[in-house]
Amino acid sequence: MNATPAVSVIMPVLNEERHLRNSVRHILEQEYAGEMEVVIALGPSTDRTDEIAAELVAETASHERARVHTVPNPTGRTPAALNAAIKASRHPIVVRVDGHGMLSPNYIATAVRLLEETGAQNVGGIMHAEGENAWEDAVAAAMTSKIGVGNAAFHTGGAAGPAETVYLGVFRREALEQQGGYNEEFIRAQDWELNFRIREAGGLIWFSPELKVQYRPRPSVKALAKQYKDYGRWRHVVARYHEGSINLRYLAPPTAVCAIAAGVVVGALITPWAFVVPAGYLAAIAAGSLPAGKGLSLKARAQIPVALATMHMSWGYGFLTSPKALAKKVIASRRPSVRTTSV
């Protein structure tokens, strides 16, 4: 691989007027000597996202090293956006960035180096959540604590090494093309499914804590609840799609939802002793929020238990109510993995 290969950055975007310009700025200001292009796949936004994207295209039209251009994504679905952007891009390294993600200054240079050093098909790192107000600070603390997300390395960090999946990802184009891109039936968890096919074909997925992407949390309880309900819903699809992929960390939220619901019902109808279960859960997240909130404002610390409960209960509810019909539809669309060529 050339020391400074050209890079295509692909961005699936929908209603991202708040963060899009700053996200693209973090790409254009990368400490990377190679040529870059940014391909934004525009969904049917209802805010100023399209207008901001058009401004970015115009502002970079004369740049020799890094230009922005756009492609339409009328479905608004993330995997369709990613495939459209991949098809419209042209460079041998493909970097995925979301419209609310902010790359660290040496992210691309580090990722390209890691691809060369490890021989991996895809490398990724830490989803470094950071808020811009007290509520978002609380969510960020919850998302980076083990009581919130368990031992997920891309949330909490860990040693570099092979991984099942990584956050976002920096790919060799050949790996994406050989696997036919993302499976568009996976509205969520499309990263996991693609990385599964790459690994099944003999490719290496590599996690490194050297790679960090600043992530802006959802701005309200409602938005966070929807996000985590979708996560739980699609994690159950993944479990049905790939038997053996489930573990105790994924079963904890649905178990908590069932236990708390049972405790409330039994406590109301039979014996108040059953309220010990929901009370114990509340005490546990209150205690767990104390170390998670270190260094934050009092207002942010007070909201961490709300963020934790929203994440746990929404994820668990989504997992429990995920319909088998959805999994059957996704399983029917299963793509066979294609053996990767030697690097």
Side-chain angles (χ1 to χ4, degrees):
M1 184 187 296
N2 189 309
T4 54
V7 168
S8 296
V9 181
I10 59 171
M11 302 182 70
V13 168
L14 179 69
N15 292 326
E16 289 287 2
E17 68 171 359
R18 182 180 172 192
H19 299 301
L20 179 58
R21 177 171 287 278
N22 197 24
S23 182
V24 171
R25 179 179 64 81
H26 278 75
I27 297 167
L28 299 178
E29 294 179 356
Q30 283 289 295
E31 297 171 359
Y32 187 68
E35 182 182 351
M36 290 193 297
E37 64 174 352
V38 181
V39 183
I40 302 175
L42 294 170
S45 296
T46 55
D47 60 9
R48 294 184 58 251
T49 295
D50 287 13
E51 180 183 338
I52 294 168
E55 293 171 357
L56 291 167
V57 170
E59 291 165 11
T60 61
S62 61
H63 289 194
E64 292 185 4
R65 192 179 70 87
R67 293 185 178 89
V68 176
H69 57 103
T70 63
V71 293
N73 173 36
T75 69
R77 294 181 172 184
T78 299
L82 291 166
N83 283 342
I86 291 167
K87 185 177 180 180
S89 66
R90 56 196 173 90
H91 294 319
I93 304 298
V94 179
V95 181
R96 177 183 169 178
V97 181
D98 287 344
H100 46 271
M102 315 295 164
L103 300 184
S104 52
N106 63 347
Y107 180 89
I108 291 177
T110 301
V112 170
R113 173 176 59 80
L114 289 171
L115 285 172
E116 178 68 20
E117 290 177 354
T118 65
Q121 302 296 314
N122 180 21
V123 299
I126 295 175
M127 177 182 179
H128 185 63
E130 288 187 359
E132 295 182 318
N133 54 47
W135 165 250
E136 291 180 4
D137 284 342
V139 176
M143 291 180 70
T144 54
S145 68
K146 290 189 175 181
I147 192 174
V149 295
N151 60 351
F154 70 85
H155 281 297
T156 60
E164 284 192 355
T165 191
V166 291
Y167 179 55
L168 300 180
V170 178
F171 298 83
R172 298 176 188 269
R173 175 177 293 277
E174 63 193 38
L176 294 172
E177 293 179 344
Q178 285 165 343
Q179 301 306 329
Y182 291 85
N183 185 333
E184 295 185 14
E185 293 297 335
F186 271 82
I187 308 306
R188 295 287 184 271
Q190 65 275 155
D191 297 304
W192 180 92
E193 193 277 336
L194 174 58
N195 286 319
F196 170 73
R197 280 186 282 132
I198 292 174
R199 288 187 293 106
E200 191 176 51
L204 174 65
I205 310 300
W206 188 265
F207 166 82
S208 174
E210 291 183 77
L211 298 172
K212 289 187 178 182
V213 181
Q214 290 182 7
Y215 169 87
R216 297 296 186 232
R218 295 297 192 269
S220 67
V221 172
K222 181 179 179 181
L224 183 67
K226 182 181 184 305
Q227 178 187 19
Y228 272 78
K229 184 190 76 172
D230 287 346
Y231 282 172
R233 176 186 178 96
W234 282 91
R235 183 63 230 189
H236 205 161
V237 171
V238 166
R240 288 166 169 156
Y241 179 92
H242 177 45
E243 293 182 6
S245 67
I246 203 70
N247 59 40
L248 293 177
R249 176 166 67 91
Y250 296 123
L251 293 176
T255 300
V257 169
C258 291
I260 290 169
V264 170
V265 171
V266 173
L269 299 179
I270 300 176
T271 172
W273 283 105
F275 285 119
V276 169
V277 176
Y281 170 76
L282 292 175
I285 61 173
S289 70
L290 295 177
K294 186 177 180 180
L296 297 182
S297 68
L298 180 61
K299 185 176 181 181
R301 294 201 300 271
Q303 296 182 84
I304 293 175
V306 178
L308 287 170
T310 301
M311 291 161 56
H312 293 162
M313 296 298 103
S314 299
W315 203 103
Y317 176 79
F319 187 94
L320 291 168
T321 59
S322 181
K324 288 185 178 180
L326 178 59
K328 288 180 179 179
K329 180 180 179 183
V330 168
I331 291 169
S333 72
R334 187 192 297 265
R335 298 178 181 180
S337 60
V338 179
R339 294 296 300 183
T340 57
T341 58
S342 60
V343 178

